[in-house]
Structure formats: C-alpha cells, structure tokens
Amino acid sequence: MNEQDQHKGSIVIGEGVTVTGSFVVPGRAVINGSLQGELQADDLLVGARGKLVGNVKVRKADIYGETHDTLQASEHLLIRSTGRISGKATYGEIEIERGGLVQGSGLPEG
C-alpha cells in the first residue's frame, strides 16, 4: 500500500487548529488541535495537545490529550500517561498507562 492509499478516508486536525461540526471519517482521525462536535471514525488518535469535546464513536481510540463528554470505543480504548477523559467512556477493552486519568464514568460495552 502506498502512502496516498494509507491516508484515504482520514482527517488530521493540526496543532493550533480549531474546528466545530459533525464528522464521519471512514479511516483514522488525528486530533492535534481542537474539535468540538460529533465524530464517528474507525480509529482515533488524540495527540498530547489535542482536545476533543462532544460525542465520539470509534472502533479504537488512542488518547494522549483530552476528551470531554462521551467517548465510545467499541473495541479498544488506550489512555496514555498524558491522557485525560472527562465524561462518559464506554469500551470493549481498556488500557490505562500510569498517570492516565478517567474522570466520570467508564463502563465496558455490553
């Protein structure tokens, strides 16, 4: 697979960029800036300076930054040592590195 195919159906919100709205991303969503609204994606990466506020539905999530409101990761939720989740999180499996934080409720799906 070439690099162009690898990024098909993906979105990257760069550091310092703020977006608001509703997004459906068939591939990977990378949030290094700020997103407020709704996001549906296959794979989510919130960078260390990334902030996501709203309702999020993904298959798997890798959180270095912060999420607020509702996060649903149907398969796997990984909260890195710098990651912060505030609100409601549901997941298939969860992994929290030392220092990672969930404030609110975290529940397995099902």
Side-chain angles (χ1 to χ4, degrees):
M1 179 181 337
N2 68 36
E3 190 174 327
Q4 189 175 3
D5 289 339
Q6 192 175 17
H7 297 293
K8 274 188 180 174
S10 296
I11 188 172
V12 175
I13 297 171
E15 197 172 315
V17 176
T18 299
V19 296
T20 302
S22 183
F23 301 87
V24 176
V25 181
R28 181 172 231 211
V30 178
I31 313 298
N32 290 317
S34 180
L35 183 146
Q36 186 163 1
E38 295 185 9
L39 173 67
Q40 187 174 338
D42 180 59
D43 185 15
L44 170 65
L45 171 65
V46 178
R49 296 181 186 264
K51 182 176 180 180
L52 211 159
V53 179
N55 295 316
V56 179
K57 283 186 179 182
V58 296
R59 186 174 58 84
K60 55 184 188 172
D62 192 354
I63 311 297
Y64 287 87
E66 49 185 277
T67 69
H68 300 269
D69 208 349
T70 303
L71 172 62
Q72 289 179 268
S74 62
E75 282 186 18
H76 190 85
L77 171 58
L78 174 53
I79 304 168
R80 302 294 182 160
S81 62
T82 56
R84 303 283 178 265
I85 293 181
S86 297
K88 182 179 178 186
T90 56
Y91 47 83
E93 296 179 341
I94 189 169
E95 186 177 341
I96 305 173
E97 290 182 351
R98 185 179 190 146
L101 181 66
V102 177
Q103 294 178 312
S105 62
L107 302 168
E109 282 199 341

